[in-house]
Amino acid sequence: MRTLVTGGLVVSTTGASAADVLVEDERIVAVLEPGTTALGSDLAATSDLVIDATGKYVVPGGVDCHTHMEMPFGGTSSSDTFETGTQAAAWGGTTTIIDFAAHHVGERVLDVMAAWHAKAAGNCAIDYGFHQILAGVDDDAIKAMNELVGEGVSSFKMFMAYPGVFYSDDGQILRAMQAAADNGALIMMHAENGTAIDVLVSQALARGDTDPGFHGTTRPWETEEEAVHRAIMLARIAGAPVYFVHMSAKQAVSTVAAARDEGLNVFGETCPQYLYLSLEDHLFAPGFEGAKYVFSTPLRARAEGHQEALWRYLRTNDLSVVSTDHCPFCFKEQKELGQGNFSKIPNGLGGIEHRMDLIYQGVVDGQIGLSRWVELCSTTPARMFGMYPKKGVIAPGSDADLVIYDPNGQTRISVDTHHMNLDYSGYEGTVVAGHVDTVLSRGTVVIDQGRFLGSKSHGSYVRRSLSQYLV
Ligand code: DUC
Ligand code: ZN
Ligand code: ZN
Protein backbone atom coordinates (compact mmCIF):
# COMPACT_ATOMS: atom_id res chain seq x y z
CA MET A 1 0.00 0.00 0.00
CA ARG A 2 1.39 3.39 -1.00
CA THR A 3 0.27 6.53 0.87
CA LEU A 4 1.28 10.09 0.06
CA VAL A 5 0.91 12.89 2.58
CA THR A 6 1.10 15.99 0.48
CA GLY A 7 1.25 19.75 0.93
CA GLY A 8 2.05 19.88 4.64
CA LEU A 9 4.80 21.50 6.68
CA VAL A 10 6.97 18.64 7.97
CA VAL A 11 8.36 19.40 11.42
CA SER A 12 11.57 17.97 12.86
CA THR A 13 13.89 18.90 15.71
CA THR A 14 15.89 21.06 13.33
CA GLY A 15 13.13 23.00 11.65
CA ALA A 16 10.08 22.79 9.46
CA SER A 17 9.85 22.62 5.68
CA ALA A 18 7.19 22.07 3.06
CA ALA A 19 7.50 18.45 1.95
CA ASP A 20 5.56 15.42 0.79
CA VAL A 21 5.91 12.21 2.78
CA LEU A 22 5.78 8.94 0.88
CA VAL A 23 4.83 5.81 2.79
CA GLU A 24 5.03 2.22 1.54
CA ASP A 25 3.14 -0.17 3.81
CA GLU A 26 4.43 0.46 7.35
CA ARG A 27 7.45 2.67 6.63
CA ILE A 28 8.34 6.10 5.34
CA VAL A 29 10.29 5.68 2.11
CA ALA A 30 10.89 9.28 1.11
CA VAL A 31 10.51 12.89 2.22
CA LEU A 32 10.33 14.89 -0.97
CA GLU A 33 10.16 18.41 -2.32
CA PRO A 34 6.45 19.19 -2.67
CA GLY A 35 5.03 17.93 -5.94
CA THR A 36 8.18 16.02 -6.94
CA THR A 37 7.63 13.50 -9.68
CA ALA A 38 10.29 11.33 -8.11
CA LEU A 39 10.68 7.65 -8.87
CA GLY A 40 9.75 8.52 -12.46
CA SER A 41 6.05 8.90 -11.92
CA ASP A 42 3.35 11.17 -10.59
CA LEU A 43 3.32 10.02 -7.00
CA ALA A 44 -0.20 11.16 -6.29
CA ALA A 45 -1.51 9.21 -9.27
CA THR A 46 0.30 6.04 -8.25
CA SER A 47 -0.61 6.19 -4.56
CA ASP A 48 -3.44 4.17 -3.07
CA LEU A 49 -4.20 6.98 -0.64
CA VAL A 50 -3.40 10.69 -0.85
CA ILE A 51 -3.78 12.76 2.31
CA ASP A 52 -3.97 16.48 1.71
CA ALA A 53 -2.11 18.22 4.53
CA THR A 54 -2.20 21.70 3.00
CA GLY A 55 -2.03 24.31 5.76
CA LYS A 56 -1.27 21.63 8.38
CA TYR A 57 1.78 20.43 10.24
CA VAL A 58 3.03 16.90 9.68
CA VAL A 59 4.77 15.75 12.85
CA PRO A 60 6.23 12.45 14.04
CA GLY A 61 3.70 10.51 16.10
CA GLY A 62 3.89 11.30 19.79
CA VAL A 63 5.85 9.02 22.11
CA ASP A 64 4.42 8.94 25.63
CA CYS A 65 7.12 7.25 27.67
CA HIS A 66 5.23 7.21 30.97
CA THR A 67 1.85 5.46 31.23
CA HIS A 68 0.12 3.15 33.70
CA MET A 69 -2.62 1.09 32.06
CA GLU A 70 -4.73 -1.24 34.22
CA MET A 71 -2.24 -0.96 37.07
CA PRO A 72 -3.24 -2.19 40.54
CA PHE A 73 -2.53 0.74 42.88
CA GLY A 74 -4.04 2.37 45.95
CA GLY A 75 -6.52 -0.45 46.57
CA THR A 76 -7.92 -0.29 43.04
CA SER A 77 -6.71 -0.39 39.45
CA SER A 78 -6.11 2.43 36.96
CA SER A 79 -9.25 2.74 34.89
CA ASP A 80 -7.88 2.61 31.34
CA THR A 81 -7.15 -0.81 29.93
CA PHE A 82 -4.55 -1.16 27.21
CA GLU A 83 -7.46 -1.12 24.78
CA THR A 84 -9.14 2.08 25.97
CA GLY A 85 -5.93 3.86 26.89
CA THR A 86 -4.15 3.29 23.58
CA GLN A 87 -7.24 4.35 21.62
CA ALA A 88 -7.37 7.57 23.64
CA ALA A 89 -3.65 8.05 22.96
CA ALA A 90 -4.26 7.71 19.21
CA TRP A 91 -7.03 10.32 19.34
CA GLY A 92 -4.48 12.72 20.78
CA GLY A 93 -1.70 12.05 18.29
CA THR A 94 0.35 9.64 20.37
CA THR A 95 1.43 6.57 18.43
CA THR A 96 3.76 4.86 20.92
CA ILE A 97 3.52 4.37 24.65
CA ILE A 98 5.92 2.89 27.16
CA ASP A 99 3.99 1.42 30.06
CA PHE A 100 5.32 0.34 33.45
CA ALA A 101 5.16 -3.33 34.42
CA ALA A 102 4.41 -2.91 38.11
CA HIS A 103 6.41 -5.18 40.38
CA HIS A 104 5.57 -5.42 44.09
CA VAL A 105 7.65 -6.80 46.94
CA GLY A 106 7.44 -10.59 46.99
CA GLU A 107 6.66 -10.99 43.27
CA ARG A 108 9.10 -12.42 40.72
CA VAL A 109 10.14 -9.63 38.38
CA LEU A 110 10.01 -11.79 35.25
CA ASP A 111 6.52 -13.03 36.14
CA VAL A 112 5.34 -9.42 36.33
CA MET A 113 6.76 -8.65 32.90
CA ALA A 114 5.07 -11.76 31.48
CA ALA A 115 1.77 -10.59 32.98
CA TRP A 116 2.17 -7.14 31.37
CA HIS A 117 2.84 -8.70 27.97
CA ALA A 118 -0.30 -10.80 28.39
CA LYS A 119 -2.43 -7.75 29.22
CA ALA A 120 -1.18 -5.68 26.28
CA ALA A 121 -0.83 -8.24 23.49
CA GLY A 122 -3.67 -7.98 21.01
CA ASN A 123 -5.25 -5.06 22.85
CA CYS A 124 -3.31 -2.02 21.70
CA ALA A 125 -4.33 0.40 18.98
CA ILE A 126 -0.78 1.77 18.78
CA ASP A 127 2.71 0.42 19.39
CA TYR A 128 3.87 -0.15 22.92
CA GLY A 129 6.96 -0.95 24.94
CA PHE A 130 7.60 -1.58 28.62
CA HIS A 131 9.70 -0.29 31.46
CA GLN A 132 10.07 -2.55 34.47
CA ILE A 133 9.30 -1.22 37.95
CA LEU A 134 11.57 -2.66 40.62
CA ALA A 135 10.03 -2.55 44.10
CA GLY A 136 13.15 -3.22 46.10
CA VAL A 137 16.23 -4.95 44.74
CA ASP A 138 17.63 -8.39 45.50
CA ASP A 139 19.76 -10.89 43.58
CA ASP A 140 16.70 -12.07 41.64
CA ALA A 141 15.93 -8.49 40.56
CA ILE A 142 19.49 -7.91 39.36
CA LYS A 143 19.40 -11.14 37.34
CA ALA A 144 16.04 -10.13 35.89
CA MET A 145 17.43 -6.72 34.93
CA ASN A 146 20.21 -8.29 32.91
CA GLU A 147 17.78 -10.61 31.19
CA LEU A 148 15.17 -7.94 30.44
CA VAL A 149 17.71 -5.62 28.81
CA GLY A 150 18.19 -8.37 26.20
CA GLU A 151 14.44 -8.53 25.67
CA GLY A 152 14.03 -4.87 24.83
CA VAL A 153 13.22 -3.59 28.30
CA SER A 154 16.12 -1.23 28.83
CA SER A 155 14.78 1.04 31.59
CA PHE A 156 13.81 0.41 35.20
CA LYS A 157 11.74 2.61 37.47
CA MET A 158 12.56 2.84 41.15
CA PHE A 159 10.67 4.63 43.90
CA MET A 160 12.09 6.63 46.77
CA ALA A 161 8.42 7.06 47.83
CA TYR A 162 5.54 4.71 48.74
CA PRO A 163 7.17 2.68 51.57
CA GLY A 164 5.69 -0.81 51.69
CA VAL A 165 4.41 -0.61 48.12
CA PHE A 166 7.08 0.30 45.58
CA TYR A 167 9.80 1.77 47.81
CA SER A 168 13.49 0.96 47.51
CA ASP A 169 16.05 2.05 50.09
CA ASP A 170 19.28 3.80 49.15
CA GLY A 171 21.35 0.61 49.20
CA GLN A 172 18.91 -1.09 46.85
CA ILE A 173 18.92 1.90 44.53
CA LEU A 174 22.71 1.92 44.51
CA ARG A 175 22.78 -1.79 43.60
CA ALA A 176 20.39 -1.24 40.70
CA MET A 177 22.41 1.74 39.50
CA GLN A 178 25.61 -0.31 39.64
CA ALA A 179 23.92 -3.01 37.58
CA ALA A 180 22.72 -0.33 35.13
CA ALA A 181 26.25 1.00 34.83
CA ASP A 182 27.26 -2.53 33.74
CA ASN A 183 24.36 -3.53 31.50
CA GLY A 184 23.59 -0.13 29.94
CA ALA A 185 20.07 0.24 31.37
CA LEU A 186 18.59 3.57 32.37
CA ILE A 187 17.28 4.02 35.91
CA MET A 188 14.13 6.13 36.08
CA MET A 189 13.58 7.64 39.48
CA HIS A 190 10.42 8.63 41.30
CA ALA A 191 12.18 11.08 43.59
CA GLU A 192 10.31 11.92 46.76
CA ASN A 193 11.45 11.22 50.33
CA GLY A 194 8.75 8.68 51.11
CA THR A 195 9.58 7.98 54.75
CA ALA A 196 9.56 11.70 55.63
CA ILE A 197 6.29 12.12 53.70
CA ASP A 198 4.70 9.30 55.70
CA VAL A 199 5.49 11.15 58.94
CA LEU A 200 4.00 14.38 57.60
CA VAL A 201 0.88 12.52 56.41
CA SER A 202 0.30 10.89 59.83
CA GLN A 203 0.74 14.23 61.57
CA ALA A 204 -1.69 15.96 59.18
CA LEU A 205 -4.35 13.28 59.65
CA ALA A 206 -3.91 13.45 63.44
CA ARG A 207 -4.59 17.20 63.25
CA GLY A 208 -7.75 16.58 61.28
CA ASP A 209 -6.30 17.88 58.01
CA THR A 210 -7.99 15.26 55.86
CA ASP A 211 -8.97 17.17 52.69
CA PRO A 212 -7.32 16.40 49.34
CA GLY A 213 -5.28 19.62 49.43
CA PHE A 214 -3.18 18.20 52.27
CA HIS A 215 -1.82 15.65 49.83
CA GLY A 216 0.18 18.59 48.47
CA THR A 217 1.27 20.17 51.74
CA THR A 218 2.51 16.83 53.11
CA ARG A 219 4.76 16.40 50.06
CA PRO A 220 6.59 19.77 50.14
CA TRP A 221 9.14 20.65 47.46
CA GLU A 222 11.94 19.83 49.88
CA THR A 223 10.95 16.14 49.78
CA GLU A 224 11.36 16.16 45.99
CA GLU A 225 14.55 18.19 45.90
CA GLU A 226 16.20 16.16 48.67
CA ALA A 227 15.43 12.89 46.90
CA VAL A 228 16.68 14.20 43.57
CA HIS A 229 19.92 15.29 45.16
CA ARG A 230 20.37 11.95 46.94
CA ALA A 231 19.67 9.96 43.78
CA ILE A 232 22.17 12.03 41.81
CA MET A 233 24.82 11.29 44.44
CA LEU A 234 24.03 7.57 44.24
CA ALA A 235 24.18 7.67 40.43
CA ARG A 236 27.48 9.44 40.65
CA ILE A 237 28.90 6.75 42.96
CA ALA A 238 27.63 4.05 40.59
CA GLY A 239 28.76 5.85 37.43
CA ALA A 240 25.27 5.47 35.97
CA PRO A 241 22.88 7.87 34.23
CA VAL A 242 19.63 8.73 35.99
CA TYR A 243 16.29 10.01 34.61
CA PHE A 244 13.84 11.75 36.94
CA VAL A 245 10.17 11.19 36.13
CA HIS A 246 7.27 13.63 36.59
CA MET A 247 9.21 16.55 38.08
CA SER A 248 7.11 19.35 39.53
CA ALA A 249 9.27 21.44 41.89
CA LYS A 250 11.50 24.13 40.41
CA GLN A 251 14.09 23.53 43.16
CA ALA A 252 14.35 19.86 42.18
CA VAL A 253 14.89 20.73 38.52
CA SER A 254 17.47 23.30 39.55
CA THR A 255 19.39 20.43 41.16
CA VAL A 256 19.13 18.47 37.90
CA ALA A 257 20.40 21.52 36.02
CA ALA A 258 23.38 21.85 38.36
CA ALA A 259 24.29 18.19 37.83
CA ARG A 260 24.01 18.60 34.07
CA ASP A 261 26.26 21.66 34.27
CA GLU A 262 28.83 19.41 35.91
CA GLY A 263 28.57 17.08 32.92
CA LEU A 264 26.62 14.29 34.59
CA ASN A 265 24.13 12.24 32.58
CA VAL A 266 21.12 13.38 34.56
CA PHE A 267 17.78 13.93 32.83
CA GLY A 268 14.40 15.36 33.79
CA GLU A 269 10.84 14.78 32.62
CA THR A 270 7.74 16.80 33.41
CA CYS A 271 4.05 16.46 32.51
CA PRO A 272 1.37 18.89 31.27
CA GLN A 273 -0.43 18.93 34.62
CA TYR A 274 2.56 20.60 36.29
CA LEU A 275 2.67 23.27 33.61
CA TYR A 276 -0.99 24.27 33.87
CA LEU A 277 -2.59 23.14 37.14
CA SER A 278 -1.78 24.28 40.67
CA LEU A 279 -2.01 23.50 44.36
CA GLU A 280 -4.17 26.54 45.10
CA ASP A 281 -6.58 26.31 42.16
CA HIS A 282 -6.97 22.55 41.80
CA LEU A 283 -5.71 20.46 44.73
CA PHE A 284 -7.32 22.86 47.22
CA ALA A 285 -10.54 23.16 45.16
CA PRO A 286 -13.63 23.27 47.44
CA GLY A 287 -15.09 20.09 48.91
CA PHE A 288 -13.70 16.81 47.61
CA GLU A 289 -13.10 18.19 44.11
CA GLY A 290 -9.34 18.32 44.77
CA ALA A 291 -9.27 14.50 44.79
CA LYS A 292 -9.26 14.69 40.99
CA TYR A 293 -5.82 16.28 41.25
CA VAL A 294 -4.22 13.92 43.75
CA PHE A 295 -1.11 12.47 42.14
CA SER A 296 2.57 12.34 42.98
CA THR A 297 4.73 14.30 42.72
CA PRO A 298 1.99 16.78 43.69
CA LEU A 299 0.89 20.01 42.07
CA ARG A 300 2.90 22.97 43.32
CA ALA A 301 1.83 26.47 44.36
CA ARG A 302 1.22 28.76 41.39
CA ALA A 303 2.33 31.69 43.55
CA GLU A 304 5.79 30.15 43.95
CA GLY A 305 6.48 30.32 40.21
CA HIS A 306 7.02 26.63 39.48
CA GLN A 307 5.11 26.70 36.20
CA GLU A 308 7.17 29.51 34.67
CA ALA A 309 10.34 27.78 35.86
CA LEU A 310 9.31 24.44 34.33
CA TRP A 311 8.67 26.11 30.94
CA ARG A 312 12.08 27.76 31.21
CA TYR A 313 13.73 24.42 31.99
CA LEU A 314 11.95 22.91 28.99
CA ARG A 315 13.59 25.59 26.85
CA THR A 316 17.05 25.06 28.34
CA ASN A 317 16.78 21.25 28.04
CA ASP A 318 17.25 20.75 31.78
CA LEU A 319 13.85 19.13 31.31
CA SER A 320 14.18 16.98 28.19
CA VAL A 321 10.89 15.09 27.92
CA VAL A 322 7.16 15.70 28.43
CA SER A 323 5.20 12.56 29.27
CA THR A 324 1.76 12.25 30.87
CA ASP A 325 2.19 9.84 33.82
CA HIS A 326 -1.24 8.70 32.58
CA CYS A 327 -2.72 6.89 35.59
CA PRO A 328 -6.49 7.48 35.55
CA PHE A 329 -8.84 6.75 38.44
CA CYS A 330 -12.52 7.59 38.18
CA PHE A 331 -13.93 10.11 40.64
CA LYS A 332 -16.85 7.83 41.50
CA GLU A 333 -15.83 4.83 43.57
CA GLN A 334 -12.08 5.23 42.97
CA LYS A 335 -11.08 8.75 44.07
CA GLU A 336 -13.98 8.47 46.54
CA LEU A 337 -12.01 5.81 48.43
CA GLY A 338 -10.23 8.73 50.08
CA GLN A 339 -13.23 10.65 51.33
CA GLY A 340 -12.33 11.80 54.86
CA ASN A 341 -8.69 10.70 54.43
CA PHE A 342 -6.63 12.15 51.57
CA SER A 343 -3.98 9.44 51.97
CA LYS A 344 -6.47 6.85 50.70
CA ILE A 345 -7.16 8.69 47.43
CA PRO A 346 -5.59 6.67 44.61
CA ASN A 347 -2.75 8.73 43.17
CA GLY A 348 -3.03 9.52 39.49
CA LEU A 349 -4.42 11.63 36.66
CA GLY A 350 -5.53 10.58 33.20
CA GLY A 351 -4.06 12.72 30.46
CA ILE A 352 -2.79 10.56 27.62
CA GLU A 353 -5.22 12.09 25.11
CA HIS A 354 -4.19 15.72 25.48
CA ARG A 355 -0.41 15.87 25.81
CA MET A 356 0.28 16.92 22.23
CA ASP A 357 -2.42 19.62 22.33
CA LEU A 358 -1.43 20.95 25.74
CA ILE A 359 2.25 21.21 24.87
CA TYR A 360 1.37 22.77 21.51
CA GLN A 361 -0.11 25.58 23.65
CA GLY A 362 3.49 26.31 24.61
CA VAL A 363 4.12 27.04 20.92
CA VAL A 364 1.01 29.22 20.69
CA ASP A 365 2.02 31.10 23.86
CA GLY A 366 5.63 31.60 22.73
CA GLN A 367 7.11 29.39 25.46
CA ILE A 368 8.73 26.95 23.00
CA GLY A 369 9.14 26.65 19.24
CA LEU A 370 7.54 24.13 16.89
CA SER A 371 10.69 22.03 16.71
CA ARG A 372 11.01 21.92 20.46
CA TRP A 373 7.39 20.69 20.68
CA VAL A 374 8.30 17.75 18.47
CA GLU A 375 11.54 17.17 20.31
CA LEU A 376 9.92 17.08 23.77
CA CYS A 377 6.90 15.00 22.80
CA SER A 378 8.35 12.62 20.25
CA THR A 379 12.01 12.66 19.26
CA THR A 380 13.73 12.84 22.64
CA PRO A 381 11.53 10.21 24.31
CA ALA A 382 12.23 7.92 21.36
CA ARG A 383 15.97 8.48 21.76
CA MET A 384 15.99 8.40 25.53
CA PHE A 385 14.36 4.98 25.51
CA GLY A 386 16.14 3.34 22.59
CA MET A 387 13.53 3.55 19.83
CA TYR A 388 15.11 6.07 17.47
CA PRO A 389 15.01 6.32 14.44
CA LYS A 390 12.22 3.70 14.24
CA LYS A 391 10.14 6.17 16.24
CA GLY A 392 10.32 9.93 16.79
CA VAL A 393 11.31 11.18 13.35
CA ILE A 394 9.96 11.57 9.83
CA ALA A 395 12.73 10.07 7.72
CA PRO A 396 13.18 7.28 5.17
CA GLY A 397 13.22 3.93 6.95
CA SER A 398 11.31 5.13 10.02
CA ASP A 399 7.91 3.76 10.97
CA ALA A 400 5.15 5.75 9.30
CA ASP A 401 3.81 7.15 12.57
CA LEU A 402 2.49 10.52 11.46
CA VAL A 403 0.20 13.18 12.84
CA ILE A 404 -1.47 15.73 10.59
CA TYR A 405 -1.98 18.63 12.99
CA ASP A 406 -4.16 21.63 12.16
CA PRO A 407 -2.79 24.80 13.77
CA ASN A 408 -5.99 26.63 12.85
CA GLY A 409 -8.23 24.04 14.46
CA GLN A 410 -9.43 23.99 18.05
CA THR A 411 -9.81 21.26 20.63
CA ARG A 412 -12.26 21.39 23.52
CA ILE A 413 -11.14 19.18 26.38
CA SER A 414 -14.03 17.63 28.25
CA VAL A 415 -15.28 14.41 29.80
CA ASP A 416 -18.11 14.63 27.25
CA THR A 417 -15.76 14.27 24.32
CA HIS A 418 -12.62 12.51 25.53
CA HIS A 419 -11.99 8.81 24.92
CA MET A 420 -10.19 7.88 28.12
CA ASN A 421 -12.12 5.58 30.45
CA LEU A 422 -12.36 8.34 33.02
CA ASP A 423 -15.45 10.07 34.42
CA TYR A 424 -13.89 13.54 34.65
CA SER A 425 -11.34 15.69 32.88
CA GLY A 426 -8.56 17.51 34.69
CA TYR A 427 -9.00 20.33 32.16
CA GLU A 428 -12.82 20.37 31.87
CA GLY A 429 -14.08 22.89 29.33
CA THR A 430 -10.67 24.19 28.29
CA VAL A 431 -10.49 25.13 24.62
CA VAL A 432 -7.02 24.94 23.12
CA ALA A 433 -5.72 26.06 19.74
CA GLY A 434 -4.70 23.22 17.43
CA HIS A 435 -6.30 19.95 16.46
CA VAL A 436 -5.20 16.41 15.69
CA ASP A 437 -6.82 15.76 12.29
CA THR A 438 -5.30 12.51 11.07
CA VAL A 439 -3.05 9.92 12.71
CA LEU A 440 -1.13 7.13 11.02
CA SER A 441 0.37 4.30 13.03
CA ARG A 442 2.89 2.27 11.01
CA GLY A 443 1.20 3.43 7.83
CA THR A 444 -2.35 2.63 8.91
CA VAL A 445 -4.78 5.52 9.31
CA VAL A 446 -6.10 5.11 12.85
CA ILE A 447 -7.74 8.51 13.33
CA ASP A 448 -9.23 10.63 10.57
CA GLN A 449 -11.39 13.75 10.92
CA GLY A 450 -13.07 12.70 14.13
CA ARG A 451 -13.33 8.97 13.39
CA PHE A 452 -11.42 6.09 14.94
CA LEU A 453 -10.43 3.72 12.13
CA GLY A 454 -7.93 1.60 14.03
CA SER A 455 -8.24 -1.71 15.77
CA LYS A 456 -7.12 -3.17 19.06
CA SER A 457 -4.94 -5.72 17.33
CA HIS A 458 -2.90 -3.20 15.35
CA GLY A 459 -0.34 -2.18 17.98
CA SER A 460 2.82 -4.21 18.25
CA TYR A 461 5.47 -4.60 20.93
CA VAL A 462 8.54 -2.43 20.49
CA ARG A 463 11.72 -4.19 21.55
CA ARG A 464 13.88 -1.28 22.61
CA SER A 465 17.64 -0.92 22.45
CA LEU A 466 19.67 0.85 25.10
CA SER A 467 19.01 4.51 25.74
CA GLN A 468 20.44 6.74 23.02
CA TYR A 469 20.66 9.80 25.24
CA LEU A 470 24.16 10.42 24.00
CA VAL A 471 23.09 10.31 20.32
N1 DUC B 1 2.41 8.72 40.77
C1 DUC B 1 1.10 8.79 40.57
O1 DUC B 1 0.50 9.83 40.83
N2 DUC B 1 0.45 7.71 40.10
C2 DUC B 1 1.10 6.53 39.70
C3 DUC B 1 2.42 6.34 40.27
C4 DUC B 1 3.11 7.59 40.61
O2 DUC B 1 4.29 7.60 40.78
ZN1 ZN C 1 6.14 7.95 39.91
ZN1 ZN D 1 4.04 7.11 36.94
Side-chain angles (χ1 to χ4, degrees):
M1 162 116 178
R2 174 180 279 191
T3 302
L4 184 69
V5 180
T6 176
L9 195 70
V10 174
V11 186
S12 74
T13 58
T14 53
S17 54
D20 292 349
V21 182
L22 184 64
V23 174
E24 293 276 4
D25 300 323
E26 298 195 345
R27 310 248 181 284
I28 296 164
V29 290
V31 181
L32 304 154
E33 292 270 315
T36 314
T37 51
L39 318 175
S41 63
D42 176 349
L43 287 177
T46 57
S47 294
D48 303 292
L49 175 66
V50 178
I51 299 173
D52 182 5
T54 305
K56 317 267 171 78
Y57 299 137
V58 183
V59 301
V63 177
D64 190 344
C65 60
H66 190 151
T67 72
H68 302 280
M69 305 300 177
E70 44 192 297
M71 179 178 81
F73 191 49
T76 182
S77 200
S78 56
S79 59
D80 263 319
T81 59
F82 279 93
E83 182 177 349
T84 60
T86 57
Q87 284 195 23
W91 277 100
T94 286
T95 52
T96 308
I97 61 163
I98 314 180
D99 200 82
F100 289 88
H103 169 249
H104 297 86
V105 179
E107 294 171 339
R108 267 195 75 236
V109 173
L110 295 180
D111 291 346
V112 173
M113 181 52 70
W116 242 256
H117 272 288
K119 289 202 245 196
N123 287 314
C124 292
I126 55 168
D127 288 352
Y128 61 96
F130 295 124
H131 313 283
Q132 178 67 60
I133 287 176
L134 296 177
V137 173
D138 54 15
D139 291 346
D140 175 56
I142 300 285
K143 259 174 65 191
M145 264 181 101
N146 293 332
E147 199 166 323
L148 286 170
V149 166
E151 292 174 13
V153 179
S154 52
S155 39
F156 296 83
K157 183 179 181 191
M158 308 199 70
F159 289 77
M160 303 168 91
Y162 302 125
V165 184
F166 289 135
Y167 178 81
S168 291
D169 66 28
D170 292 350
Q172 291 172 321
I173 289 169
L174 181 61
R175 279 194 76 188
M177 285 177 165
Q178 288 170 333
D182 284 343
N183 63 28
L186 182 60
I187 298 294
M188 305 170 75
M189 193 59 71
H190 177 129
E192 287 187 294
N193 186 326
T195 54
I197 287 168
D198 274 5
V199 170
L200 295 174
V201 169
S202 305
Q203 291 170 345
L205 293 173
R207 280 195 305 270
D209 290 341
T210 58
D211 287 348
F214 295 104
H215 171 78
T217 54
T218 54
R219 306 177 95 89
W221 67 261
E222 289 90 341
T223 61
E224 184 180 347
E225 196 281 335
E226 184 279 329
V228 164
H229 183 262
R230 187 160 30 105
I232 290 171
M233 292 302 122
L234 295 172
R236 198 178 170 123
I237 293 166
V242 60
Y243 173 102
F244 291 100
V245 294
H246 51 51
M247 299 195 80
S248 64
K250 63 180 181 181
Q251 296 86 348
V253 190
S254 168
T255 297
V256 165
R260 290 172 63 81
D261 287 349
E262 278 188 60
L264 296 174
N265 288 315
V266 172
F267 306 96
E269 162 200 285
T270 193
C271 311
Q273 51 270 35
Y274 304 120
L275 297 166
Y276 292 106
L277 309 178
S278 72
L279 180 81
E280 306 93 312
D281 301 338
H282 299 90
L283 204 42
F284 269 110
F288 193 59
E289 187 68 11
K292 295 177 178 174
Y293 303 97
V294 167
F295 41 79
S296 301
T297 60
L299 291 175
R300 302 293 174 193
R302 186 181 294 277
E304 291 173 2
H306 296 277
Q307 297 178 346
E308 292 79 8
L310 295 181
W311 279 114
R312 180 163 47 80
Y313 285 126
L314 286 173
R315 287 195 292 279
T316 58
N317 202 36
D318 293 304
L319 289 170
S320 312
V321 168
V322 178
S323 72
T324 58
D325 194 10
H326 178 73
C327 191
F329 295 101
C330 288
F331 189 70
K332 289 239 163 310
E333 291 179 15
Q334 294 197 297
K335 292 289 185 177
E336 281 176 355
L337 291 169
Q339 231 149 7
N341 180 345
F342 69 85
S343 74
K344 300 257 188 291
I345 300 169
N347 281 209
L349 179 72
I352 199 165
E353 194 164 342
H354 302 299
R355 181 182 62 125
M356 300 296 279
D357 287 325
L358 287 167
I359 302 309
Y360 180 67
Q361 296 321 291
V363 179
V364 174
D365 297 342
Q367 293 280 11
I368 55 171
L370 257 188
S371 289
R372 186 66 179 151
W373 173 49
V374 162
E375 193 166 35
L376 290 166
C377 292
S378 188
T379 313
T380 301
R383 278 194 176 126
M384 189 66 70
F385 296 105
M387 298 188 289
Y388 182 90
K390 177 179 169 66
K391 304 294 185 189
V393 62
I394 298 176
S398 296
D399 282 358
D401 293 348
L402 302 172
V403 178
I404 320 298
Y405 197 81
D406 182 0
N408 298 311
Q410 279 192 338
T411 304
R412 180 168 181 273
I413 306 179
S414 170
V415 66
D416 299 331
T417 45
H418 75 205
H419 302 84
M420 299 175 284
N421 183 35
L422 182 61
D423 63 359
Y424 72 96
S425 168
Y427 306 89
E428 184 57 47
T430 305
V431 178
V432 294
H435 187 260
V436 173
D437 275 8
T438 306
V439 179
L440 280 75
S441 165
R442 271 184 294 105
T444 297
V445 177
V446 293
I447 298 290
D448 192 37
Q449 314 296 336
R451 286 173 308 153
F452 177 72
L453 304 175
S455 81
K456 70 171 192 169
S457 57
H458 171 77
S460 65
Y461 173 64
V462 182
R463 188 178 281 270
R464 297 182 291 116
S465 48
L466 296 181
S467 173
Q468 299 151 307
Y469 60 84
L470 294 178
V471 171

